[in-house]
Amino acid sequence: MRCCLITDEGIDTESFYLLQDADIDKMIPKMGPRLKFKKLLSQLKAEQTPNESTHHFPPHVLPSTNDMGKRKSDQQLDSNGQQAAKRKCETNSSAETEAKILTNVRNTMGGICAMLQDDSDLNTLLKTKIKNLETETKELVGVFGKTGAGKTSLINAVLEERNLLPSGSVSACTSVMIKVEGNRHNEKYEAEIEFISPEDWEDELGSLHCIIKKGNQEVQDNVDDSDEEYHDAVDKLSALYEEEWREKSCEQLMESKYFKEIPEFFQSRSKNLIFESAKDLSADIVKYTKDSPKNKNYNKIKQWYWPLVKCVTVRVPNHPSLQHVTLVDLPGNGDRNKSRDTMWKGIVGDCSTVWVVTEVNRAAAEQESWDILKNVASQIGNGGECRHIHIVCTKSDDIDDSDVTTKAETQALILKRNAETKERVTKEFNKLDKIKKHFSDECFQVFTVSSREFFRKRDLSPEDTEIPNLQEFLQNLNDCHSETLNYVSGAHGILSLIHGASRRKEDDRIKEVFEALEKNLTLQIESITNEMMKIYNVFEEHLQEGVERSKNSYENILRSTLYPHKRDGRGFHKQLKKAVENRGVHRPKKGREMNININLTSHLADSIDEEFRTTFPNDGKCGPFKGVIYSFSLVTEELKEKYKDVELQLVSLKSEEERLKTSLNKSIRKRKKTVYRSLIKTIEETLQDCYKSKKMIKL
């Protein structure tokens, strides 16, 4: 297990357990906290088994090369799934150990905080720092894919919860987002149903009635033109009101009798449900997440509430890989409802990983999957924080094996086809130049998985289904955010500050250290300023080029958008009209969206995409602004060596420095998304009057 350094220099994992009484006396001068810390350390030492003694802290960081090699060799020795079970058991044990460490250190810091009675500047600072030790981080994994591609089966298999999310014969509802995260509070399965507001639904009712009225008029006029918007409107109203909506006004459809089972809807709060098992949860949430199916198992359900639902959050107990990771089953194109669409954009932009799910037999040729990736590329790339794009090819066991007679032959046939699929999909991805501007080559990966075979183990071993590969990826993603490591690291900095303050003396030595730090600060700021100016000049040059290209081409862009070649005039005019009515965007259920705003900003975005990605990389290897923030440091090794008598103060300063850099990088990541999206937002706001007057339709 890789040893996690608590600070760049100081107490690491091994030396933490080698602390002696004299060391602790030096570090914690006050008796109360010192006694508590000694008791804590004694308990932790007693809990270590011989096997654990080589890795005192749990593996909440990415595994080292040695660990990866060991894991690989273990898997080669055990191909019947025993290694997966063993790994899960070890992970659970590590999580329990980490929880104990975190609880004990929290108790210690709580005791120290309680002792800081007076409101001196130092005590106020210390209490604030102890309070700020509590941090919550989440990695979002967005799961996209067309209906029937196997998204829910994939999520169920990865979490080893066969009955968690409803799937199979139940029709998918494209508008409801489903989050799956760990339940860290109890042993129950929980579901939180978040509704759109009553005002939003009342507005939507008016829009749905208008759509249906227009559709009925077209039928009367013998217009043979199937309109998915019309059918969607009928499906939504029928799901919630059955056939009653046909004879009711919008005002009547808002009566409370239709919402008896969900009083939370009118109270503008979430509905919380608690279950003993995944199966019970799945059976109950189906009416909030899926369309009404023609299935006798659901005949008792009279109302389907998914038209009112914005998001469903499912919480799973005892799942180590979901402590800091949330899986989100997402629609590929956002939503016509404004509140759902706003939430969709926010979640998509926050995804650090995207899984595009498609069936293995059509993975390379399936246009809809590539359209999904094209639609979200700018929002997850420069406009987001995505570091990993995975094409997950499902149903990898689905193969014609009529000419084979043995299990080994079937397995060989499946694995051969899967390898060929990976090669073809990678080849297709490499053709997408505009998408690749947003991502590095290392971020793309293809998986060929079989959720069915992972559970039944008939033709493929668990490892050959590649579900364990995705599980390991999620665990590693989760382990990048060790709550315990962050807390203990911060606690160490605070203890260093306390001890250093107790020994502080006002002498020339202190002034000398202060001057050295000031000198370092001046040099570091100068370095950052120089790099920022270089970046500013590069962006200004690229943006000027983009502006000139946009000026020279906007008429052609508009003309090609409004009058595309080889398109049916009447059908396209309807799509254009819908786009104009929806602030320049038309999102069909299938295929690429029409986005007038993106088309008009295309040259401007193209001019900065590559420079923007290298300046604000999502992968986190060097950090924003070409690494100048990551390399910033006041406290150098030379300072620590030269001024041993104030080493603890310098350790504390280093801890604070790391905290501030982490906070700053988080802030930059958030702001860079706002900056990049401002291109489209500006165009959208500028064209609002044009969209409202529908001048484009008359062009």
Side-chain angles (χ1 to χ4, degrees):
M1 199 65 63
R2 190 172 73 178
C3 188
C4 307
L5 288 177
I6 294 179
T7 59
D8 289 342
E9 183 183 69
I11 301 175
D12 62 18
T13 311
E14 184 178 356
S15 59
F16 177 79
Y17 283 87
L18 298 176
L19 285 172
Q20 302 299 315
D21 284 351
D23 302 318
I24 298 170
D25 291 344
K26 258 188 189 180
M27 194 167 71
I28 311 176
K30 291 194 175 182
M31 182 175 292
R34 184 168 68 240
L35 292 174
K36 289 182 179 180
F37 187 85
K38 286 182 178 180
K39 181 181 177 183
L40 162 66
L41 184 60
S42 177
Q43 288 172 346
L44 292 178
K45 287 180 178 179
E47 288 171 3
Q48 298 302 306
T49 65
N51 187 48
E52 288 174 326
S53 62
T54 59
H55 53 273
H56 301 297
F57 277 87
H60 275 213
V61 289
L62 292 172
S64 68
T65 306
N66 291 338
D67 291 326
M68 292 287 280
K70 180 181 183 299
R71 183 174 293 176
K72 186 174 180 182
S73 64
D74 286 344
Q75 288 175 347
Q76 290 170 345
L77 291 171
D78 188 347
S79 62
N80 296 317
Q82 294 177 0
Q83 177 60 29
K86 178 183 175 185
R87 186 166 61 245
K88 184 177 180 181
C89 181
E90 289 176 346
T91 303
N92 285 332
S93 175
S94 297
E96 289 172 5
T97 303
E98 177 172 317
K100 288 181 181 178
I101 293 172
L102 183 58
T103 299
N104 287 328
V105 176
R106 272 179 176 155
N107 291 339
T108 299
M109 298 309 292
I112 292 173
C113 192
M115 295 175 62
L116 303 172
Q117 298 293 336
D118 63 79
D119 292 328
S120 66
D121 290 344
L122 179 58
N123 283 0
T124 301
L125 175 66
L126 291 172
K127 283 188 278 190
T128 301
K129 285 182 172 296
I130 292 172
K131 183 180 178 182
N132 290 339
L133 287 174
E134 299 289 349
T135 58
E136 179 66 24
T137 53
K138 284 281 186 183
E139 295 276 356
L140 292 185
V141 177
V143 186
F144 296 88
K146 70 171 188 176
T147 301
K151 287 193 295 179
T152 53
S153 296
L154 172 68
I155 293 173
N156 288 349
V158 167
L159 300 180
E160 296 187 44
E161 293 277 5
R162 191 192 294 264
N163 301 310
L164 182 63
L165 299 183
S167 61
S169 61
V170 183
S171 303
C173 170
T174 57
S175 62
V176 177
M177 287 165 278
I178 304 175
K179 297 181 183 179
V180 184
E181 59 188 30
N183 186 351
R184 304 174 66 182
H185 306 295
N186 56 57
E187 303 293 309
K188 307 290 186 183
Y189 289 83
E190 297 180 350
E192 180 182 346
I193 318 296
E194 185 178 349
F195 300 102
I196 62 175
S197 70
E199 294 77 20
D200 274 355
W201 179 240
E202 192 168 12
D203 289 343
E204 195 167 343
L205 278 175
S207 299
L208 295 174
H209 271 120
C210 288
I211 291 167
I212 291 170
K213 186 177 179 180
K214 289 178 185 176
N216 290 337
Q217 185 62 49
E218 289 181 354
V219 171
Q220 291 175 14
D221 296 340
N222 294 318
V223 177
D224 183 20
D225 189 11
S226 178
D227 189 337
E228 69 175 26
E229 199 170 36
Y230 171 81
H231 294 298
D232 284 349
V234 172
D235 288 344
K236 275 189 176 183
L237 293 173
S238 299
L240 188 57
Y241 302 106
E242 294 190 278
E243 295 301 306
E244 288 188 39
W245 64 270
R246 297 183 185 276
E247 307 297 329
K248 302 282 187 180
S249 67
C250 291
E251 187 178 350
Q252 289 172 317
L253 293 177
M254 289 298 295
E255 291 176 3
S256 60
K257 66 179 182 179
Y258 296 109
F259 310 94
K260 287 180 181 178
E261 195 178 339
I262 51 170
E264 298 86 354
F265 173 67
F266 278 118
Q267 298 163 3
S268 295
R269 62 186 181 88
S270 298
K271 187 178 186 70
N272 295 296
L273 305 168
I274 300 175
F275 307 92
E276 294 294 332
S277 69
K279 189 175 182 180
D280 291 340
L281 179 146
S282 180
D284 201 84
I285 69 168
V286 67
K287 58 177 171 281
Y288 300 104
T289 61
K290 301 291 180 180
D291 204 348
S292 47
K294 301 291 189 293
N295 188 311
K296 64 181 182 180
N297 295 328
Y298 300 103
N299 286 342
K300 293 181 181 179
I301 300 177
K302 299 301 180 184
Q303 280 186 290
W304 297 80
Y305 296 111
W306 60 264
L308 305 174
V309 176
K310 183 158 56 173
C311 180
V312 174
T313 301
V314 173
R315 297 188 179 92
V316 183
N318 303 318
H319 213 291
S321 65
L322 293 182
Q323 300 305 298
H324 303 288
V325 171
T326 297
L327 294 169
V328 192
D329 186 347
L330 287 159
N333 281 344
D335 196 84
R336 297 185 186 99
N337 177 277
K338 190 174 181 181
S339 63
R340 284 200 198 100
D341 193 56
T342 300
M343 175 177 270
W344 181 86
K345 286 178 179 176
I347 291 175
V348 168
D350 289 342
C351 287
S352 63
T353 301
V354 162
W355 290 352
V356 179
V357 182
T358 183
E359 294 180 52
V360 71
N361 287 325
R362 303 185 61 199
E366 178 61 69
Q367 190 58 41
E368 191 170 342
S369 299
W370 295 117
D371 283 340
I372 288 173
L373 191 54
K374 290 172 185 175
N375 287 340
V376 302
S378 64
Q379 296 179 72
I380 64 176
N382 284 340
E385 51 187 90
C386 182
R387 303 191 299 275
H388 309 279
I389 296 178
H390 296 162
I391 304 296
V392 184
C393 308
T394 58
K395 306 177 185 180
S396 68
D397 62 313
D398 187 6
I399 197 166
D400 181 9
D401 57 355
S402 56
D403 294 332
V404 299
T405 57
T406 67
K407 177 181 175 179
E409 288 176 325
T410 300
Q411 187 179 45
L413 198 62
I414 291 172
L415 296 179
K416 181 175 181 292
R417 191 274 314 277
N418 291 349
E420 292 170 352
T421 297
K422 288 184 178 182
E423 188 176 338
R424 286 198 301 270
V425 170
T426 303
K427 194 174 180 180
E428 285 298 313
F429 179 78
N430 287 332
K431 296 177 184 177
L432 305 176
D433 294 332
K434 284 196 173 182
I435 292 179
K436 292 187 70 178
K437 280 186 178 182
H438 293 267
F439 306 100
S440 62
D441 292 336
E442 295 79 19
C443 83
F444 183 73
Q445 198 170 355
V446 185
F447 295 88
T448 50
V449 306
S450 172
S451 304
R452 179 171 62 179
E453 274 298 305
F454 179 72
F455 285 118
R456 75 178 181 180
K457 302 176 180 67
R458 190 187 71 182
D459 296 323
L460 296 173
S461 68
E463 282 69 30
D464 287 335
T465 69
E466 296 197 19
I467 293 293
N469 294 357
L470 291 176
Q471 291 175 326
E472 184 170 20
F473 171 82
L474 288 182
Q475 189 64 57
N476 291 340
L477 194 64
N478 180 84
D479 293 349
C480 287
H481 297 277
S482 171
E483 190 177 7
T484 301
L485 176 61
N486 294 335
Y487 195 97
V488 172
S489 175
H492 177 247
I494 293 170
L495 291 173
S496 298
L497 177 60
I498 292 172
H499 186 42
S502 70
R503 302 190 333 185
R504 187 177 63 185
K505 297 178 182 179
E506 292 293 339
D507 55 23
D508 293 339
R509 194 75 166 162
I510 295 294
K511 291 178 182 177
E512 191 178 328
V513 174
F514 182 79
E515 288 171 0
L517 290 171
E518 265 197 330
K519 183 180 178 182
N520 278 355
L521 179 61
T522 302
L523 291 173
Q524 294 288 336
I525 290 176
E526 185 179 345
S527 174
I528 290 175
T529 303
N530 291 339
E531 188 61 42
M532 297 279 268
M533 286 306 300
K534 288 180 189 175
I535 292 169
Y536 175 86
N537 292 332
V538 171
F539 268 106
E540 186 174 44
E541 182 181 340
H542 285 311
L543 282 170
Q544 285 176 348
E545 292 173 3
V547 168
E548 290 304 314
R549 285 164 55 197
S550 296
K551 284 180 180 178
N552 297 330
S553 61
Y554 79 93
E555 288 184 351
N556 291 333
I557 291 172
L558 265 180
R559 192 175 293 112
S560 63
T561 301
L562 301 177
Y563 307 106
H565 296 294
K566 299 179 182 179
R567 291 293 300 271
D568 174 72
R570 185 184 61 200
F572 180 76
H573 185 268
K574 288 185 69 174
Q575 292 181 4
L576 176 60
K577 186 177 179 181
K578 289 170 186 172
V580 171
E581 290 172 347
N582 191 40
R583 306 182 300 279
V585 183
H586 170 57
R587 295 188 178 95
K589 271 192 173 180
K590 296 180 180 179
R592 290 204 67 184
E593 69 177 19
M594 176 193 289
N595 195 317
I596 300 170
N597 309 312
I598 287 180
N599 291 346
L600 288 172
T601 58
S602 58
H603 285 307
L604 203 55
D606 287 346
S607 70
I608 63 167
D609 273 341
E610 290 189 21
E611 186 65 30
F612 201 93
R613 177 172 67 84
T614 57
T615 304
F616 304 105
N618 289 334
D619 56 28
K621 291 178 181 176
C622 68
F625 298 112
K626 310 295 175 72
V628 290
I629 293 176
Y630 272 4
S631 61
F632 175 93
S633 182
L634 291 179
V635 183
T636 62
E637 296 304 315
E638 291 79 6
L639 273 178
K640 289 182 184 178
E641 287 297 321
K642 186 175 181 181
Y643 302 105
K644 286 286 187 181
D645 50 339
V646 291
E647 184 178 7
L648 287 174
Q649 287 96 323
L650 293 175
V651 168
S652 174
L653 187 59
K654 183 68 176 178
S655 176
E656 180 67 8
E657 180 184 287
E658 293 301 320
R659 188 191 68 79
L660 287 172
K661 286 198 289 186
T662 300
S663 177
L664 181 58
N665 284 325
K666 201 176 288 185
S667 176
I668 290 172
R669 191 185 311 125
K670 183 178 179 180
R671 292 187 182 188
K672 73 103 175 180
K673 291 188 277 189
T674 303
V675 169
Y676 188 81
R677 294 173 189 174
S678 67
L679 297 175
I680 296 173
K681 187 178 179 182
T682 302
I683 289 290
E684 186 178 312
E685 290 173 350
T686 303
L687 291 177
Q688 275 311 296
D689 290 340
C690 187
Y691 291 143
K692 287 176 182 176
S693 63
K694 302 183 181 178
K695 289 178 182 177
M696 283 191 174
I697 300 175
K698 299 172 186 175
L699 291 176

